[in-house]
Amino acid sequence: MASSKSLMNLLTFTFGSAIGFFICYLLFSIILEEEVKIQPHILHNDPHGQHSADSDNNQLQGQMNFNADSGQHKDENKNIAEGLYQKVKILCWVMTGPQNLEKKAKHVKATWAQRCNRILFMSSEENKDFPTVGLETKEGRDQLYWKTIKAFQYVYDHYFDDADWFMKADDDTYVILDNLRWLLSKYSPEQPIYFGRRFKPYVKQGYMSGGAGYVLSKEALKRFVAAFKTNKCSHSSSIEDLALGKCMEIINVEAGDSRDTSGRETFHPFIPEHHLIRGYLPKTFWYWNYNYYPAVEGPGCCSDLAVSFHYVDSVTMYHLEYLIYHLRPYGYLYRYNPDLAKNPEEQSKDEALEDNQKLKQKIIEN
């Protein structure tokens, strides 16, 4: 009798433990699954690996036109930006694919691409409605350098005389063209040079991060295309940015310094928060060993005249569009221009006084 009771107790305990374990397993599975769903922009410790921003978790279904009502900015003085638009002509081409036209490329098209002097979307196949240029390649990360070579050859053959500089960007890169024009205005397009976020491994002069985008001068493009006709360069690697950097060094195209007048970086391989928030990128992360110039985390990471950010999903694409081109603090007419004065404080005071006089005069006239 006692042994039967003990056996029953053992079975009850075992059954209860199994049920409890199963319930705990289900709860932990649900919790972990939710954490994975909301985890933003997981970064893998591989400079050429695929990141979570490439997934479908944070994609918009429709486009937004942030520039439909420009009336609220009608009094802004855009003379410098408009002058540079005419003086520093940039052709932008965006690396994309058939699977990304609706998820990514159309949001590039609706935002920063409108400020290029000419914009082209390069894909493995032609799409006349979007439109895209069909490069007749396969899709996949191992095809990126082929697409890059063919895209620059296509640009050279069809649009060489339409621009002075030729910008390559991904369909998850956001580019501030006005700041890029300011940077390029210091250089001649006839100079063999290219700019981007400069990395240091494997190439003596360094090479430019593919994700942050890079821009070739007219002379650099001419040399790059010619190098494949004369076999100075070849498709030696599937790693696009590194292979292009090696070719540039072979053909004596200079890897330019894209930092601003304060020594801060302008091209950025990640979204703003990854650079601005201290501790976001662990010190074991590849990024810290790849930068040609000492990398800074926190507010000193990024120039006020930043040119690009990478791994920008469709939602963040519109966040940046609004924050850069639409948000204005009330009462500030002065906008920083690093070319006008050596001492920014003196410059800001002088311009503030001048703007105040203009504002007073405007009020009197009204």
Side-chain angles (χ1 to χ4, degrees):
M1 184 72 179
S3 60
S4 297
K5 189 175 182 180
S6 298
L7 181 60
M8 183 61 69
N9 289 338
L10 179 62
L11 290 173
T12 302
F13 174 78
T14 303
F15 182 74
S17 298
I19 293 297
F21 177 80
F22 182 69
I23 292 173
C24 289
Y25 172 78
L26 287 177
L27 288 173
F28 277 114
S29 297
I30 292 171
I31 292 171
L32 289 173
E33 185 177 351
E34 289 301 314
E35 286 183 352
V36 169
K37 285 182 181 178
I38 64 174
Q39 181 68 31
H41 303 288
I42 298 172
L43 297 172
H44 301 293
N45 200 12
D46 178 2
H48 307 291
Q50 187 173 14
H51 293 248
S52 65
D54 294 334
S55 70
D56 298 334
N57 291 342
N58 204 22
Q59 299 298 334
L60 289 177
Q61 296 303 312
Q63 286 175 291
M64 290 185 283
N65 185 358
F66 274 43
N67 302 300
D69 179 17
S70 58
Q72 57 188 320
H73 296 154
K74 66 182 186 325
D75 291 330
E76 280 190 333
N77 187 335
K78 301 177 183 177
N79 290 343
I80 295 177
E82 291 173 351
L84 285 177
Y85 181 88
Q86 298 299 328
K87 179 183 176 183
V88 184
K89 295 183 178 179
I90 302 174
L91 180 147
C92 311
W93 70 264
V94 177
M95 178 96 73
T96 189
Q99 74 282 4
N100 282 342
L101 296 186
E102 289 298 309
K103 293 189 297 183
K104 296 181 179 182
K106 75 175 182 181
H107 305 296
V108 170
K109 190 177 181 182
T111 55
W112 64 265
Q114 298 180 20
R115 300 178 187 93
C116 301
N117 293 85
R118 184 176 288 275
I119 177 70
L120 298 171
F121 290 86
M122 301 292 189
S123 178
S124 56
E125 58 187 53
E126 183 182 18
N127 183 314
K128 293 182 179 179
D129 295 326
F130 190 80
T132 64
V133 175
L135 298 173
E136 299 181 352
T137 62
K138 297 178 181 178
E139 287 296 331
R141 299 191 67 81
D142 61 336
Q143 297 294 311
L144 292 181
Y145 194 36
W146 270 127
K147 290 175 76 173
T148 300
I149 294 168
K150 289 194 171 187
F152 275 126
Q153 288 176 338
Y154 180 90
V155 168
Y156 179 82
D157 290 340
H158 295 87
Y159 297 101
F160 185 70
D161 294 328
D162 291 3
D164 305 308
W165 300 87
F166 302 86
M167 171 87 184
K168 175 266 174 187
D170 288 347
D171 54 16
D172 60 349
T173 304
Y174 187 95
V175 182
I176 303 100
L177 267 298
D178 301 288
N179 292 346
L180 177 59
R181 288 192 179 93
W182 168 77
L183 169 67
L184 298 178
S185 67
K186 319 295 180 187
Y187 301 88
S188 167
E190 304 305 320
Q191 181 179 352
I193 194 168
Y194 80 126
F195 295 96
R197 180 56 171 258
R198 197 170 177 185
F199 286 164
K200 65 183 178 183
Y202 311 117
V203 182
K204 185 177 180 181
Q205 71 165 357
Y207 67 97
M208 305 305 170
S209 161
Y214 45 80
V215 57
L216 278 61
S217 69
K218 205 178 191 76
E219 177 63 23
L221 174 62
K222 182 165 66 174
R223 292 190 185 192
F224 180 73
V225 172
F228 286 88
K229 295 178 180 179
T230 59
N231 294 321
K232 286 185 177 180
C233 295
S234 63
H235 184 271
S236 57
S237 170
S238 61
I239 302 175
E240 162 234 339
D241 49 7
L242 175 58
L244 184 136
K246 288 181 176 179
C247 179
M248 289 295 176
E249 188 167 76
I250 291 172
I251 59 179
N252 296 316
V253 171
E254 179 186 352
D257 184 352
S258 62
R259 295 176 298 169
D260 69 10
T261 52
S262 299
R264 295 185 177 186
E265 297 280 6
T266 57
F267 288 77
H268 304 289
F270 305 114
I271 57 174
E273 65 189 85
H274 291 170
H275 296 283
L276 290 167
I277 307 303
R278 290 191 177 96
Y280 205 112
L281 300 176
K283 293 302 181 181
T284 55
F285 196 54
W286 63 264
Y287 169 77
W288 301 109
N289 294 321
Y290 267 65
N291 284 280
Y292 192 89
Y293 307 106
V296 177
E297 61 179 338
C301 69
C302 310
S303 171
D304 286 359
L305 296 171
V307 168
S308 69
F309 295 96
H310 188 217
Y311 294 120
V312 177
D313 60 42
S314 56
V315 173
T316 309
M317 197 74 68
Y318 292 104
H319 288 170
L320 291 173
E321 182 76 2
Y322 168 71
L323 292 172
I324 294 169
Y325 284 100
H326 295 271
L327 179 63
R328 298 289 187 271
Y330 178 76
Y332 289 80
L333 295 178
Y334 161 74
R335 300 289 274 177
Y336 173 59
N337 186 334
D339 297 326
L340 293 183
K342 293 183 179 180
N343 187 331
E345 291 185 2
E346 290 180 5
Q347 176 193 341
S348 63
K349 290 176 183 177
D350 292 343
E351 288 197 1
L353 289 171
E354 182 181 347
D355 286 336
N356 283 338
Q357 293 298 324
K358 291 179 180 178
L359 181 59
K360 289 179 182 178
Q361 183 62 34
K362 187 174 183 180
I363 292 172
I364 291 171
E365 291 174 353
N366 292 338

